[in-house]
Amino acid sequence: MKDIFFFDSMLTPKIITFVYWLMLLGTLVSGLGSMFTQYGGGFLAGLGIIIFGAIGSRIWCELLIVLFKIHENLQKIANKSE
């Protein structure tokens, strides 16, 4: 608990995987909703939402993870120089 309250370790990288699965679920629901509702845009629009939403979610989460990996490596370099 000390790490969390004093910001010695990052909490967000542990949450990113959960957020990714929530985003995939939201993409799937919105894509299926778009496919099968009257105002959705049709089957191809829903399929596009599912495909590009999944790719976009993956890229966004990977970019966040890269930022935190950079932070970890910078901390290692800073600790080495001390």
Side-chain angles (χ1 to χ4, degrees), residues 10-69:
M10 293 287 167
L11 181 64
T12 308
K14 298 171 183 114
I15 298 172
I16 290 174
T17 304
F18 178 70
V19 171
Y20 172 68
W21 286 106
L22 283 179
M23 289 172 65
L24 282 181
L25 181 66
T27 300
L28 182 67
V29 168
S30 64
L32 289 174
S34 178
M35 283 181 188
F36 299 113
T37 59
Q38 183 178 359
Y39 304 107
F43 183 81
L44 290 177
L47 191 61
I49 290 171
I50 291 172
I51 291 171
F52 291 113
I55 292 170
S57 299
R58 178 69 184 219
I59 290 171
W60 184 76
C61 289
E62 284 182 1
L63 286 174
L64 284 176
I65 290 172
V66 165
L67 286 174
F68 285 103
K69 293 290 183 181

